Every structure is written in structure tokens, then in C-alpha cells.
């Protein structure tokens, strides 16, 4: 992968950015995404935010090498603090992290009123996708699109959201993804077949334990039933 040839995962994220958007890529350790979007003329302006100094310097070097310092602002900052009001950002991308971390970055941004003007969130959690959906549904964001892809034996989901007045989801939709569970593509089926096997093994172990954790057992049984229903 490099700034002109993205991984399948990052290409899937890039495809969700609307042409001409002003983009903030939060957690931009190598700035590949903003450099790619500008080099391919999809956008003209981006912020690359990174909280750790080493990756921040890598992003800076990449932007300098690509001679895009006028169009990509690389900033050392925690989460959405990388964004200034004058950047007039429409789309925030947060990719390649756990769902809990993505939700906490969004929550901090929400508390600091940094999400007020956001038109679009493009989120790619590596796990705990339901945490991201839960945060979105609790903060007036509706899911407008979802993708699920496989790359090098790993499965990734991309969740796109926008502010929406009526955005209510069932527990099941938050768990599977409202669009993904309707589409049920082969990657989705593979993910949940695998998850079902894993959960069945955990359930067996829990049921054999001396002091079975009844709450956990009930939760797993519910999830296994959902998976069975969805994969039917
Ligand atoms: N977004 C890139 C991608 O999808 O390939 C990089 C993913 S990398 C695994 C995650 C990056 O997010 C790391 O460089 C990490 O330092 C950064 N990060 C984690 N928490 C952050 C935060 N609160 N604010 C900004 N960057 C953060």
C-alpha cells in the first residue's frame, strides 16, 4: 500500500467521501487517505489529525513528499481537536481503530461541540462495530450506508452516517448493521457464521463452569438466536 495505491480497506473508506468535500482524517498515521483523495482530485482540502508524535511526523513527511502542504493540514491533536472552525470540514473520517475508541473520539468531540457542522461521518471500526452504531443512534446520526469487505482474511465494516432527526434502530440492527443485515452479502454471512461458531464454543465453556455466569449465558443465547435468524 502507498498513497496512490490504497489497501482494499482504505479504498473502501475513500469511496465513501463525496467529491469536493473538505475532509478531516482523524488518526492519520501516514496520511495516505488525504494524500490519495487530493492526488486523485476527489477533494481539495483535508486535515490529517494524529495524537502520537511519531505517526504525526510520518504523516508530515508524507504530505511534504507529495508537496501537498497547502492542501493538507497535518496537526498533532487528540481526536476532533485537530479540526478548526475555519477548516469548514464536511466529512470526518475515523478509520482503522476499535469501535470503542471511535465512539470515545466522537463523544469527546460531541462534548466539545466539534460535531455541530459535520455533514457526514465515515467510520471504519476494526471491531466492536455495534459500539459505533450505538453512539450514532444516541446522538442524532442516522446510518446512510454500510459496507462489509474482506482483505487478507480480515473482515472490515465501513459505516457512513449523517445528522438525521428520526434515527431509531432495534438492538438487532445495532448488532448487525441495518444495511448489512438486509443485504446479507457473502462476506457478512462468512463473518457471522464464524462468530456463531466462536460464540457456541464460549457458551459451552460457560455452561460447564462451576459457577455459570447466567447473564453472559443469556446474552450469548440471544445473540446466537439472532445470528441463526439473520443467516436463514
Ligand atoms: N486511519 C489509518 C488507517 O485506517 O489506516 C491509521 C489507522 S492506525 C491503526 C490508528 C491511528 O490512530 C494511530 O496512528 C493512532 O495513533 C491514532 N489515534 C488513536 N487515537 C487517536 C486520537 N484520539 N486522536 C487522533 N489519533 C488517534
Amino acid at each position: 500500500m502507498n498513497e496512490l495505491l490504497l489497501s482494499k480497506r482504505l479504498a473502501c473508506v475513500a469511496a465513501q467521501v463525496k467529491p469536493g468535500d473538505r475532509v478531516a482524517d482523524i488518526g492519520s498515521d501516514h496520511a495516505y487517505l488525504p494524500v490519495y483523495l487530493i492526488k486523485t482530485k476527489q477533494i481539495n482540502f483535508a486535515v490529517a489529525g494524529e495524537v502520537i508524535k511519531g505517526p504525526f511526523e510520518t504523516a508530515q513527511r508524507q504530505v511534504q513528499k507529495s508537496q501537498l502542504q497547502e492542501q493538507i493540514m497535518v496537526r498533532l491533536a487528540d481526536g476532533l481537536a485537530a479540526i478548526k472552525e475555519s477548516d469548514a470540514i464536511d466529512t470526518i473520517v475515523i478509520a482503522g481503530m476499535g469501535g470503542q475508541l471511535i465512539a470515545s473520539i466522537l463523544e469527546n468531540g460531541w462534548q466539545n461541540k466539534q460535531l455541530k457542522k459535520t455533514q457526514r461521518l465515515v467510520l471504519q471500526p476494526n471491531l466492536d462495530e455495534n459500539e459505533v452504531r450505538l453512539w450514532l443512534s444516541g446522538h442524532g446520526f442516522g446510518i446512510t450506508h454500510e459496507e462489509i469487505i474482506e482483505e487478507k482474511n480480515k473482515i472490515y465494516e465501513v459505516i457512513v452516517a449523517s445528522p438525521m432527526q428520526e434515527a431509531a434502530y432495534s438492538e438487532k440492527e445495532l448488532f448487525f448493521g441495518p444495511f448489512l443485515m438486509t443485504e446479507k452479502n457473502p462476506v457478512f454471512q462468512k463473518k457471522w457464521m464464524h462468530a456463531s461458531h466462536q460464540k457456541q464454543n464460549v457458551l459451552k465453556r460457560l455452561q460447564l463452569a462451576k459457577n455459570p455466569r447466567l447473564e453472559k449465558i443469556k446474552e450469548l443465547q440471544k445473540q446466537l438466536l439472532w445470528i441463526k435468524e439473520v443467516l436463514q
Side-chain angles (χ1 to χ4, degrees):
M1 176 170 75
N2 60 44
E3 74 279 15
L4 289 177
L5 188 64
L6 296 182
S7 62
K8 187 173 174 186
R9 173 185 65 82
L10 266 185
C12 184
V13 171
Q16 299 311 320
V17 171
K18 280 211 279 188
D21 268 3
R22 293 172 72 87
V23 174
D25 180 31
I26 304 300
S28 196
D29 59 354
H30 36 54
Y32 283 163
L33 182 73
V35 169
Y36 171 85
L37 288 169
I38 291 189
K39 286 259 180 202
T40 55
K41 302 199 187 313
Q42 295 181 55
I43 64 166
N44 292 313
F45 178 85
V47 169
E50 177 50 61
V51 75
I52 297 179
K53 200 156 178 260
F56 159 74
E57 287 168 350
T58 308
Q60 269 188 325
R61 277 197 299 276
Q62 182 63 60
V63 170
Q64 279 161 10
K65 189 181 120 195
S66 312
Q67 299 186 316
L68 290 175
Q69 299 96 310
E70 296 287 305
Q71 287 161 287
I72 303 177
M73 309 298 125
V74 186
R75 297 191 186 128
L76 183 63
D78 186 353
L80 308 194
I83 304 172
K84 295 181 184 172
E85 200 155 350
S86 56
D87 296 329
I89 293 298
D90 324 279
T91 293
I92 297 175
V93 175
I94 314 179
M97 304 175 206
Q100 294 193 3
L101 179 54
I102 293 180
S104 82
I105 290 174
L106 291 171
E107 181 59 29
N108 288 340
W110 179 265
Q111 299 288 342
N112 294 322
K113 306 200 181 333
Q114 287 154 326
L115 276 163
K116 273 194 301 189
K117 297 203 172 137
T118 307
Q119 303 294 322
R120 201 170 159 84
L121 294 169
V122 180
L123 309 169
Q124 184 270 300
N126 286 342
L127 72 163
D128 295 331
E129 296 85 359
N130 56 328
E131 298 282 340
V132 173
R133 293 190 193 98
L134 192 61
W135 187 91
L136 293 170
S137 73
H139 293 78
F141 281 88
I143 298 169
T144 55
H145 184 71
E146 290 174 307
E147 293 274 343
I148 187 164
I149 55 134
E150 183 174 9
E151 181 177 46
K152 294 186 183 157
N153 281 325
K154 281 196 183 159
I155 291 180
Y156 300 101
E157 294 184 13
V158 177
I159 302 167
V160 187
S162 289
M164 219 177 265
Q165 290 205 325
E166 300 271 318
Y169 299 99
S170 66
E171 250 194 293
K172 215 167 158 182
E173 286 174 318
L174 294 175
F175 189 68
F176 293 105
F179 288 90
L180 299 181
M181 68 182 276
T182 308
E183 187 192 12
K184 293 184 206 185
N185 78 15
V187 182
F188 175 90
Q189 293 184 33
K190 182 172 175 180
K191 170 177 173 155
W192 290 107
M193 248 145 47
H194 181 68
S196 172
H197 289 136
Q198 280 187 325
K199 285 176 192 290
Q200 280 173 36
N201 288 336
V202 176
L203 181 62
K204 269 185 214 150
R205 279 205 301 275
L206 287 176
Q207 284 168 330
L208 290 173
K210 267 193 190 156
N211 299 310
R213 292 157 56 201
L214 294 178
E215 282 295 305
K216 181 78 189 154
I217 289 177
K218 265 199 202 160
E219 181 61 25
L220 275 172
Q221 284 170 329
K222 180 180 80 180
Q223 292 177 0
L224 281 163
L225 188 66
W226 281 352
I227 297 173
K228 199 173 157 197
E229 284 167 4
V230 164
L231 291 184
Q232 256 171 13

